[in-house]
Amino acid sequence: MTTVDHVFETLLKRDEASHDEQGICDVTGHGSNDKLYITHTEHSGQWGQHTAGSSGFRAKQQAPTPLALTPFDCCSLSFQPFEHPVCARNEDGTGTVFDLVNIVPWLKLHDNKHPLTNAPLDPSSLITLHYTRDGKGEIHDPVSFKRFSEHSHIVAIATTGNVFLEESIKGNRDLVADVGFKKSDIIILQNPHAAPAFPKPADPNKEKNVVKSVTAVLPQKKAPLPWNASPYSTGRPGASLTSTSVDPHTATSTALFDEEELMFDHISNPPKGKGKEKDVGKRRAYVRVVTTLGGGSLNLELYCEKAPKTCYNFLMLARTGKYENCLFHRLVPGFMIQTGDPTGTGSGGQSYWGTPFRDEFDTKNAAKHDSRGVLAMANRGPGTNTSQWYITFKPTPNLDNKHTVFGKLVGGEDILDALEHLPRKDGTERPSKPVRIKEVVIYQDPFEDYKSRLARKLAHRAEAETNPRTETKPKEGNDTNWFGVKLTAESEEAVLGGGGKGGIGKYLDLKRPRDGGSGPEEPPETKKRKKLGFGDFEGW
């Protein structure tokens, strides 16, 4: 074994021993770098740069993004620490720092154009900057000796090129060169207290003295709120502020009530004081179900004020023809007969919305299974109403609070009796003779009346918004009084007594004499007031 191999083997064994020792320390809990507090290294620049050190370049090794500020000790063109800093003044009072060895070749290649603003930049207009450094090479203020950081407000004096903190130039005098300066000579190199102001690109039309026409911005008219707007907001700005899974929303949006729910509430709870809406018959629907059983029909009355959503579902399915050719698929004599399934199997059918909807047997004044001919919804459990319904042959109180009652039979008792006595297939609840629904004729629908009234109301509102109300002109024929005399200027003057004529206006021309009469005028009698209370207590 050579000497080199021996040395290498010795170093390898030492490395393995150090690893074993580190593993023991990790197991026992000693030597771990995990702390329950933020260390000085983490706080000073490893993850945050919270200290007042001038390690701007070391904390930002990579080139910054377009929205990040250039470190104060770096060139804005190369993003590397500068050695010969110069400054190019901008129109807004700020300055861009470059390294002389970088900006001069750039200006030669790009026809003396500013790298950031594309404005004309003469190399002779560059201002040489003089930074003050301490023994460690850190940049600091020459007056207060405070180190520069990314949180410092740094300015330069154009006449001398000296760089200070903003707090050290009060008095308009450069304390290093001992010369005075004007306010216009101050160049802002870094201002973290204000929003990051990036240099604006040069206007190409400015040199041509082109005057642009300024168009007046008219105030936009506020959009009218929808008719179903609620007094509440959607809460999206708050939700987006506190949740990362919600898209950001900055504008407050008004929550909208569901139009159908407003219609159901209007039908079930009519406004007070309106006689037409108090009539229950106006808020109920009347339909006729035509069957194939000898052409007989079942006349039904729907309780729209007690079960509005269920009645609306029945009426909309009937309007779209979903109940046509439906089979009476289940018959239990002495109990009920069921239909409403387009498939005829008893397990099909959908609601008008395509999903099951809620029950309405728990609402105020809900109807009960208290008589023969009650119309109710079939379901598979709570909140599973679709399209199937049934008619009872006798009172069935055991179905209360389980099925929604939304109507009753008001005509066609003979047809209901005939349906109850239909023969059934052996061992099943299906009638042996198929009986179907031909059609459903709707005679009265309060929901359609509500929609038509609402459409007229919205049309009238839209017309009022587009065409504001103008002054109404007097109609012809309104210039005649009760006695049939046409009113003119002369007739009005005669009636009012003007022009020395008679009439009630003659009393308006009377003038009471100022000085006259046989004796002095008596003062008007003052009405004595009755004293209340205990009187005046000043004399006590």
Side-chain angles (χ1 to χ4, degrees):
M1 180 182 296
T2 61
T3 305
V4 176
D5 295 337
H6 179 71
V7 172
F8 183 77
E9 184 178 359
T10 304
L11 293 176
L12 182 61
K13 291 181 178 179
R14 184 183 300 175
D15 189 22
E16 292 177 355
S18 63
H19 278 293
D20 294 341
E21 183 180 355
Q22 179 66 27
I24 296 174
C25 292
D26 292 341
V27 172
T28 57
H30 299 285
S32 177
N33 292 328
D34 295 335
K35 303 276 191 312
L36 297 180
Y37 55 89
I38 299 177
T39 62
H40 173 72
T41 305
E42 296 171 348
H43 190 274
S44 62
Q46 187 176 0
W47 294 299
Q49 186 66 22
H50 295 287
T51 186
S54 59
S55 58
F57 169 72
R58 293 195 299 271
K60 299 181 179 180
Q61 294 291 343
Q62 299 179 353
T65 59
L67 293 180
L69 295 177
T70 306
F72 61 88
D73 56 351
C74 291
C75 173
S76 298
L77 190 59
S78 63
F79 300 108
Q80 299 296 323
F82 48 68
E83 296 181 0
H84 307 283
V86 292
C87 175
R89 299 192 68 174
N90 301 316
E91 295 181 357
D92 55 355
T94 61
T96 308
V97 181
F98 299 102
D99 198 328
L100 185 62
V101 297
N102 296 326
I103 188 60
V104 173
W106 170 276
L107 296 178
K108 290 181 179 180
L109 292 176
H110 298 85
D111 196 17
N112 291 339
K113 296 291 183 180
H114 197 289
L116 302 182
T117 63
N118 202 26
L121 179 59
D122 191 4
S124 60
S125 64
L126 296 175
I127 301 173
T128 304
L129 300 179
H130 305 288
Y131 285 88
T132 305
R133 298 179 181 268
D134 57 9
K136 297 181 179 180
E138 301 289 347
I139 301 176
H140 65 86
D141 180 67
V143 178
S144 63
F145 294 93
K146 292 182 179 179
R147 289 182 178 179
F148 289 175
S149 68
E150 60 181 6
H151 307 292
S152 303
H153 190 177
I154 306 173
V155 297
I157 308 302
T159 55
T160 61
N162 294 327
V163 183
F164 301 90
L165 291 177
E166 192 272 338
E167 60 188 20
S168 300
I169 60 172
K170 296 179 181 179
N172 293 339
R173 191 166 189 82
D174 188 340
L175 299 181
V176 175
D178 196 18
V179 294
F181 59 86
K182 299 179 182 179
K183 187 176 182 181
S184 58
D185 296 333
I186 300 175
I187 305 174
I188 300 176
L189 303 182
Q190 176 178 289
N191 185 11
H193 308 295
F198 298 99
K200 299 181 180 179
D203 188 3
N205 298 326
K206 186 175 181 179
E207 298 177 358
K208 302 179 182 179
N209 296 326
V210 178
V211 180
K212 297 183 179 180
S213 60
V214 180
T215 58
V217 180
L218 299 178
Q220 297 181 355
K221 187 177 181 180
K222 189 176 181 180
L225 291 176
W227 69 273
N228 58 338
S230 70
Y232 314 104
S233 65
T234 57
R236 292 178 181 176
S240 64
L241 179 64
T242 57
S243 176
T244 58
S245 62
V246 181
D247 295 335
H249 293 274
T250 57
T252 303
S253 54
T254 305
L256 302 179
F257 287 122
D258 186 78
E259 297 182 8
E260 290 183 351
E261 294 297 333
L262 288 178
M263 178 176 61
F264 299 154
D265 185 70
H266 185 274
I267 297 297
S268 59
N269 301 311
K272 298 181 180 180
K274 294 188 177 181
K276 295 183 179 180
E277 296 296 338
K278 287 184 178 180
D279 186 6
V280 178
K282 296 290 184 179
R283 293 185 284 132
R284 292 188 177 181
Y286 296 91
V287 299
R288 183 179 66 175
V289 180
V290 183
T291 66
T292 58
L293 187 60
S297 303
L298 298 173
N299 299 331
L300 304 176
E301 180 184 26
L302 306 184
Y303 304 146
C304 298
E305 81 283 1
K306 297 182 179 181
K309 193 176 184 70
T310 307
C311 294
Y312 185 72
N313 174 72
F314 181 90
L315 293 171
M316 295 307 296
L317 291 177
R319 287 187 181 277
T320 55
K322 298 297 182 180
Y323 286 141
E324 295 180 1
N325 204 31
C326 279
L327 184 69
F328 285 89
H329 61 271
R330 185 185 180 193
L331 171 63
V332 181
F335 181 44
M336 62 88 191
I337 186 169
Q338 185 172 335
T339 182
D341 181 10
T343 63
T345 60
S347 59
Q350 287 186 344
S351 67
Y352 170 68
W353 302 277
T355 56
F357 60 94
R358 66 175 183 267
D359 296 310
E360 293 179 307
F361 52 73
D362 54 351
T363 59
K364 185 179 180 180
N365 299 326
K368 304 295 183 181
H369 298 76
D370 53 0
S371 64
R372 176 182 172 86
V374 169
L375 178 66
M377 290 296 296
N379 56 37
R380 295 186 298 272
T384 58
N385 301 291
T386 53
S387 64
Q388 298 188 34
W389 48 273
Y390 62 88
I391 300 178
T392 61
F393 295 133
K394 68 173 185 178
T396 54
N398 58 305
L399 298 181
D400 291 341
N401 298 327
K402 296 180 181 178
H403 298 267
T404 301
V405 176
F406 66 99
K408 67 177 180 179
L409 184 72
V410 294
E413 286 285 347
D414 53 342
I415 301 301
L416 187 63
D417 293 339
L419 290 173
E420 184 178 7
H421 294 89
L422 286 175
R424 295 185 299 173
K425 295 181 180 179
D426 296 338
T428 64
E429 295 179 347
R430 301 180 67 87
S432 58
K433 177 183 178 182
V435 180
R436 299 180 180 272
I437 298 176
K438 280 187 178 181
E439 61 176 345
V440 179
V441 183
I442 301 175
Y443 291 103
Q444 179 175 309
D445 187 354
F447 301 105
E448 291 298 321
D449 298 340
Y450 171 84
K451 291 179 181 179
S452 60
R453 292 196 305 269
L454 179 61
R456 291 194 300 267
K457 180 179 179 181
L458 296 179
H460 181 70
R461 180 186 299 178
E463 183 180 359
E465 291 177 355
T466 54
N467 301 324
R469 180 179 297 179
T470 57
E471 295 182 0
T472 57
K473 297 181 179 180
K475 298 181 180 179
E476 296 182 358
N478 289 347
D479 54 350
T480 305
N481 61 7
W482 290 356
F483 303 101
V485 180
K486 191 171 183 180
L487 297 177
T488 59
E490 298 177 356
S491 62
E492 291 180 1
E493 187 177 0
V495 172
L496 295 177
K501 300 180 181 180
I504 60 175
K506 64 183 180 180
Y507 300 104
L508 301 178
D509 296 334
L510 294 178
K511 295 183 179 179
R512 302 179 66 181
R514 296 182 180 177
D515 298 329
S518 56
E521 295 184 359
E522 296 181 359
E525 297 181 358
T526 57
K527 191 175 182 180
K528 296 182 179 180
R529 295 183 179 180
K530 187 177 181 180
K531 294 183 179 181
L532 300 177
F534 297 99
D536 191 4
F537 292 92
E538 288 185 357
W540 283 32

